[in-house]
Amino acid sequence: MEDYGSQALRRLLEALSDAVLETHAKLGDATAQIDASRIVDVARLLRDDPDLQFEMLTDLTCVDYIEQQPRFEVVYHFYSVARNRRVRIKARVAADVCQIDSLIDLYPSADWMEREVWDMYGVRFEGHPDLRRLLLYEEFEGHPLRKDYPKERRQPLVGPRN
Amino acid sequence: MAVPDRQAVAARHNQRAIEFLREGGDSLVTTKVESLFNWSRKYSMFLYPFVTACCGMEFMSVAGPRYDLDRFGCALPRFSPRQSDLLMVVGTITHRQGPILKKVYDQMAEPKWVMAFGACTCSGGPYNNYAVVQGIDTIIPVDIYVPGCPPRPEAVLEGLMKLQARVQNERVPADGRHKEIDELQLPVIEKPVA
């Protein structure tokens, strides 16, 4: 029986071949590299297509590849409850733009995850209604999980000796 | 506020004791009110467990029946700072949590004591990064530090006994309250920015 992860990628390529840049299914992890500007189209297809049915966004995170262009990679993990399958979508975001469309209209679970990525990496999610910091405080400057954030840097909210 | 003349007060108390014995009293215990208060305070601490992280497991161990904080009169956790005497800060404090800790401390009534429980509260512990407060003594005054990651229950009991010894010898400040951290002259240590 053919792996559904590969099937999903095939369906994705068939429907949105212009948005998908690259795919692989190494070790059973179906992964597609897509054009960041098409993320909403891809997510809508994954959710609504009767052959795909990825009705759950389980994880949304980001990687800072500081020496590469484009620099940031936003990583989405979708899960199909109906079919018990997963697919991973990656989208590259350039440092000077640093923006990608929000999935909050399709997946409400994107709310806090997008806020966390904004908080830690500074990637803006266009269309998010309330893009505030999630874990850090509002006065914090910068985005600490960026590779160029100095790890010794101190930003005291309270206390004289931090 | 007028400072009482301690010698005059002592002389008056001695006179009263002599009168009591002359009138047929056969036994007498003398003490200072301060000592009596301190003795009762040190053996009846209500603690506020400010538990944020894994040290909490060790706190449960030391509070449970095997090590038993109750033997030291320190077994009644109050979950309102207004009713508690000993603030046990148990676990990592992040910058975002700092103002909450300060608020809890400020809400406690005098006399109050603070125990820094575990390496994170003493110094930031293993976490030297953007998020973690490098020792809660940068936010509130600390009376006793119990290091360890996490500290053994014996270490916590040792710390508690040391604190009790301190409480026994405490002098109540003339203005009736201890110093807030804002009034203390703390040395400012600049950390290098990479």
Side-chain angles (χ1 to χ4, degrees):
Chain A
M1 191 180 125
E2 198 180 6
D3 188 332
Y4 179 72
S6 305
Q7 276 183 29
L9 292 179
R10 203 157 291 136
R11 177 78 189 94
L12 188 63
L13 278 169
E14 187 183 290
L16 288 170
S17 59
D18 55 328
V20 180
L21 307 177
E22 192 188 337
T23 64
H24 76 73
K26 283 175 198 155
L27 304 172
D29 288 345
T31 305
Q33 189 88 42
I34 64 150
D35 180 353
S37 63
R38 303 292 303 278
I39 180 65
V40 175
D41 298 337
V42 171
R44 184 173 288 120
L45 180 84
L46 287 174
R47 191 187 69 165
D48 295 341
D49 191 286
D51 294 337
L52 294 170
Q53 291 181 293
F54 287 99
E55 60 279 82
M56 194 166 151
L57 174 62
T58 55
D59 196 15
L60 192 171
T61 186
C62 185
V63 187
D64 180 3
Y65 293 103
I66 188 165
E67 284 163 2
Q68 296 178 17
Q69 290 294 336
R71 176 171 162 184
F72 296 101
E73 187 173 75
V74 184
V75 185
Y76 300 81
H77 288 231
F78 294 95
Y79 178 60
S80 168
V81 178
R83 294 161 185 262
N84 188 23
R85 287 292 181 274
R86 294 171 197 276
V87 70
R88 179 188 302 144
I89 303 294
K90 295 177 170 183
R92 281 296 179 110
V93 177
D96 52 343
V97 183
C98 225
Q99 186 165 306
I100 190 166
D101 287 337
S102 172
L103 291 190
I104 197 160
D105 294 335
L106 297 170
Y107 295 95
S109 68
D111 185 353
W112 281 18
M113 294 192 278
E114 287 179 352
R115 278 176 63 188
E116 186 185 1
V117 170
W118 157 248
D119 194 356
M120 293 292 155
Y121 292 92
V123 176
R124 289 203 149 269
F125 288 86
E126 185 61 34
H128 192 291
D130 185 27
L131 197 64
R132 285 177 297 130
R133 289 185 180 278
L134 180 68
L135 299 171
L136 293 167
Y137 42 96
E138 284 300 318
E139 296 85 352
F140 196 89
E141 290 171 9
H143 303 281
L145 290 196
R146 286 189 174 193
K147 295 291 180 203
D148 53 2
Y149 186 89
K151 72 180 195 305
E152 289 292 317
R153 185 171 172 202
R154 289 290 172 271
Q155 301 200 32
L157 178 65
V158 280
R161 283 190 292 161
N162 273 287
Chain B
M1 180 178 153
V3 179
D5 181 352
R6 286 181 187 271
Q7 279 189 341
V9 170
R12 203 161 65 237
H13 287 175
N14 283 344
Q15 191 56 41
R16 259 189 222 158
I18 291 164
E19 281 167 16
F20 172 76
L21 292 171
R22 276 192 186 142
E23 285 164 13
D26 58 357
S27 56
L28 188 68
V29 176
T30 61
T31 182
K32 286 189 290 180
V33 175
E34 205 168 58
S35 308
L36 180 68
F37 272 30
N38 284 343
W39 175 82
S40 54
R41 278 172 181 167
K42 76 172 180 177
Y43 287 135
S44 64
M45 278 188 186
F46 287 11
L47 65 97
Y48 182 96
F50 194 94
V51 178
T52 57
C54 37
C55 269
M57 302 309 292
E58 216 56 35
F59 170 77
M60 290 168 212
S61 166
V62 75
R66 180 176 282 263
Y67 292 97
D68 201 3
L69 277 175
D70 203 5
R71 295 181 292 158
F72 301 87
C74 182
L76 200 59
R78 310 307 297 176
F79 296 103
S80 162
R82 308 220 188 262
Q83 300 171 348
S84 49
D85 311 303
L86 174 62
L87 177 62
M88 271 195 175
V89 186
V90 184
T92 319
I93 300 296
T94 58
H95 279 298
R96 186 152 174 187
Q97 204 149 31
I100 303 167
L101 177 64
K102 174 89 167 109
K103 185 178 271 184
V104 167
Y105 176 80
D106 288 343
Q107 284 175 341
M108 288 169 68
E110 294 278 359
K112 55 188 172 184
W113 298 276
V114 178
M115 178 188 278
F117 187 119
C120 292
T121 51
C122 293
S123 68
Y127 305 111
N128 183 10
N129 61 25
Y130 61 92
V132 175
V133 173
Q134 301 296 295
I136 58 163
D137 52 4
T138 59
I139 304 171
I140 56 176
V142 176
D143 293 282
I144 192 96
Y145 296 85
V146 181
C149 188
R152 292 274 317 163
E154 294 90 335
V156 182
L157 297 179
E158 171 79 8
L160 182 63
M161 285 189 281
K162 283 204 157 87
L163 180 65
Q164 286 177 334
R166 245 185 81 169
V167 171
Q168 179 63 70
N169 293 321
E170 239 174 34
R171 299 295 294 272
V172 177
D175 60 356
R177 52 186 276 277
H178 296 270
K179 283 227 179 308
E180 298 290 329
I181 191 127
D182 306 332
E183 301 162 16
L184 296 176
Q185 294 293 318
L186 291 169
V188 176
I189 301 166
E190 293 291 334
K191 290 214 168 165
V193 175

